[in-house]
Amino acid sequence: MTLTTRPRGTNDVGPGDIELWHKLEEKIRQVCAAYGYSELRTPMFEHTELFQRGIGEATDIVEKEMYTFVDRGERSLTLRPEGTAPAVRAYLENNLGAGALPVKLYYYGPMFRYERPQAGRYRQFTQFGLEVLGSSDPLLDVEAILLPLELYKACGLSGFQVEINSIGCPKCRPSYRQELVEYFEPHVDRLCSSCRSRLHRNPLRLLDCKVESCQEVLAGAPQIGRHLCPECSAHFAQVLAYLDALGVDYKLNHRLVRGFDYYTKTVFEVTSAELGAQNAIGAGGRYDGLVEELGGKPTPAVGFAVGVERLLLALQGQDKFQAEPAAPHVYLVHFGGESKLRAAQVAYFLRGQGLWAELDYLERSIKAQMKAANRLGSRYVAIFGEEELGRNSIVLRNMRDGQEQEINLQDLEQLAKILGECGK
Ligand code: AMP
């Protein structure tokens, strides 16, 4: 029989890898708690319209990357490709803005995009993201950068680079768009097909094209700086001042634009020197118009999303982030029959105390059970020998120093205490 394999661009995460994920998830919760963020869990699928309105029709994601399907009730639904539009929808639908502002939310979970899979780019991937709604304070733009940096540092990652830019607002961006179109039009023959098709619909996106022939044209492209309105300029200057005051290293990148239409003012991206072509380990920006676009009252907001698989890849490259391999507290070696029954009772008791007790389910020889205990790295072995069981006791062997002691089974609390202390 042939095996059914997982779909292209997806991953299984199992024993040996999952421990690192758990460790990272724990760090995420710790950092978010310190910054006052609460977790928000939204559905894995939403009405397609949410992303069309939120992300924008002329974006790669909406044009060609969404997993969209019609359900049995004839509704068009889409597996979420990103977390910001769902977070804003949930914010509005649950009236989360009714309490104290700003509202600080974080999410963690799978996203889905029909992209060409390669190292660090998948069709199902995990994002940890945060969103702050209800304030245009530039300090929040900076905090949205600081929080993921804190996470990277807490994991021991070094060698990352923050790039930042301002892409203005609906007041000042149109004149820049116009200047860009005028600049690119005479060079249209040298642009790649995707840039040509975007030239009039979304000219800012041409700025981050990686195709060589486009790069040459891009070198002379006008910068947004002098188009920024006084409000956007002042806001950006404040963001940079806070970054300087907090000692955050960053690089101004006039060509940094993002793949979503909802961004206004500040945009940022963090890259890792550990990764190849897909080197962005996180990105985000301010989106002051999205809440209104999705039916709410005008509400400034800013967010950031971290690619979890890419972060783990970058950490692997540095060998700094390792999870302690889990090992049983005790392996209960039994001889079958009555001895197995007693071992099962003791295992049940110990597990109830939160201790990892392991035993044989394959009728293996004593020698094979000792080998299994060793392979699992068990810290103790308890031997349920006939002679000792006659005295209602077992032999407990410390696998580190080989010391043995007889423990009476009347006193299981004593056994649990010894085992509980061995992990400290
Ligand atoms: P975006 O939502 O496109 O701004 O992406 C935010 C972060 O998510 C990126 O910096 C990546 O780290 C990660 N990411 C985006 N797309 C993918 C993908 N297809 N596979 C893996 N990670 C991704």
Side-chain angles (χ1 to χ4, degrees):
M1 284 255 259
T2 54
L3 220 63
T4 304
T5 57
R6 59 179 189 264
R8 219 163 106 70
T10 63
N11 294 295
D12 298 312
V13 183
D17 297 322
I18 197 72
E19 295 78 10
L20 274 188
W21 284 73
H22 288 162
K23 191 171 162 181
L24 178 60
E25 287 159 10
E26 187 56 37
K27 295 247 181 270
I28 289 175
R29 276 194 282 273
Q30 282 168 1
V31 176
C32 285
Y35 277 74
Y37 284 72
S38 308
E39 186 175 2
L40 171 71
R41 297 190 186 181
T42 64
M44 226 74 92
F45 57 85
E46 297 273 358
H47 291 291
T48 302
E49 179 202 279
L50 175 71
F51 302 112
Q52 289 166 335
R53 284 169 70 183
I55 302 175
E57 298 273 9
T59 56
D60 278 355
I61 292 187
V62 172
E63 273 181 354
K64 47 189 187 203
E65 292 174 2
M66 293 206 300
Y67 278 92
T68 297
F69 59 97
V70 177
D71 78 356
R72 289 168 194 275
E74 303 289 313
R75 299 170 198 92
S76 177
L77 299 170
T78 293
L79 297 183
R80 62 179 187 198
E82 59 95 53
T84 301
V88 171
R89 191 231 3 98
Y91 168 86
L92 291 172
E93 200 166 336
N94 300 290
N95 206 13
L96 299 182
L101 294 178
V103 175
K104 297 179 176 181
L105 304 167
Y106 81 93
Y107 60 83
Y108 177 90
M111 304 293 160
F112 306 85
R113 294 182 196 170
Y114 192 80
E115 292 195 271
R116 200 150 41 83
Q118 62 184 87
R121 196 208 268 157
Y122 313 104
R123 289 183 174 167
Q124 177 178 328
F125 58 98
T126 312
Q127 275 188 346
F128 151 58
L130 53 103
E131 316 290 350
V132 198
L133 300 109
S135 167
S136 55
D137 189 338
L139 183 54
L140 285 175
D141 302 44
V142 171
E143 285 192 12
I145 299 173
L146 282 179
L147 193 157
L149 294 191
E150 205 77 66
L151 175 68
Y152 300 146
K153 279 191 249 162
C155 297
L157 187 71
S158 53
F160 50 80
Q161 163 93 65
V162 179
E163 296 189 16
I164 189 163
N165 191 18
S166 175
I167 55 166
C169 68
K171 268 186 279 167
C172 50
R173 209 179 309 156
S175 70
Y176 180 53
R177 278 178 69 122
Q178 188 54 36
E179 193 185 345
L180 272 182
V181 173
E182 282 164 14
Y183 169 80
F184 282 120
E185 263 172 347
H187 303 288
V188 75
D189 296 344
R190 292 163 65 200
L191 298 177
C192 70
S193 61
S194 128
C195 281
R196 251 179 272 156
S197 82
R198 280 179 181 150
L199 177 54
H200 292 276
R201 288 179 302 135
N202 202 349
L204 262 75
R205 285 310 306 276
L206 270 62
L207 295 175
D208 70 353
C209 181
K210 306 282 183 288
V211 176
E212 210 170 304
S213 55
C214 297
Q215 286 281 324
E216 288 163 16
V217 181
L218 278 173
Q223 297 181 357
I224 194 165
R226 61 185 185 80
H227 288 268
L228 291 181
C229 62
E231 188 195 322
C232 287
S233 270
H235 192 272
F236 194 44
Q238 266 303 315
V239 169
L240 300 184
Y242 280 125
L243 285 171
D244 291 335
L246 293 167
V248 181
D249 236 8
Y250 60 86
K251 195 172 117 195
L252 286 174
N253 177 354
H254 299 292
R255 293 221 211 125
L256 183 68
V257 288
R258 310 278 309 117
F260 306 91
D261 278 359
Y262 51 63
Y263 285 122
T264 50
K265 297 194 171 97
T266 331
V267 289
F268 30 83
E269 186 164 87
V270 183
T271 52
S272 164
E274 293 295 333
L275 301 175
Q278 303 302 318
N279 64 353
I281 48 171
R286 181 161 278 287
Y287 52 93
D288 288 346
L290 183 60
V291 178
E292 201 178 357
E293 182 68 39
L294 294 179
K297 59 177 200 266
T299 308
V302 59
F304 193 100
V306 173
V308 174
E309 286 84 356
R310 282 196 206 166
L311 174 55
L312 286 170
L313 278 174
L315 287 165
Q316 258 171 30
Q318 297 195 338
D319 251 4
K320 281 202 194 116
F321 192 65
Q322 265 149 13
E324 272 284 298
H329 289 89
V330 64
Y331 194 101
L332 311 176
V333 172
H334 64 77
F335 293 76
E338 179 67 17
S339 153
K340 181 174 180 189
L341 200 87
R342 298 306 304 277
Q345 287 169 336
V346 173
Y348 178 67
F349 171 81
L350 293 174
R351 289 165 177 171
Q353 307 290 307
L355 296 164
W356 181 1
E358 204 46 78
L359 73 162
D360 174 63
Y361 307 93
L362 298 167
E363 297 182 20
R364 279 181 288 206
S365 68
I366 301 306
K367 201 168 148 210
Q369 290 185 50
M370 291 301 288
K371 225 165 133 185
N374 262 321
R375 200 174 317 123
L376 287 169
S378 189
R379 287 166 272 187
Y380 280 89
V381 160
I383 301 156
F384 286 65
E386 211 170 304
E387 206 186 306
E388 289 80 14
L389 279 181
R391 295 196 292 272
N392 197 27
S393 60
I394 52 163
V395 173
L396 184 68
R397 181 187 297 172
N398 184 329
M399 298 298 272
R400 305 255 153 89
D401 58 18
Q403 296 255 1
E404 291 189 349
Q405 57 184 311
E406 195 162 327
I407 306 264
N408 195 298
L409 290 180
Q410 292 288 13
D411 197 4
L412 284 178
E413 302 287 349
Q414 159 76 357
L415 176 61
K417 191 162 171 270
I418 297 174
L419 299 177
E421 278 169 1
C422 72
K424 289 178 191 159

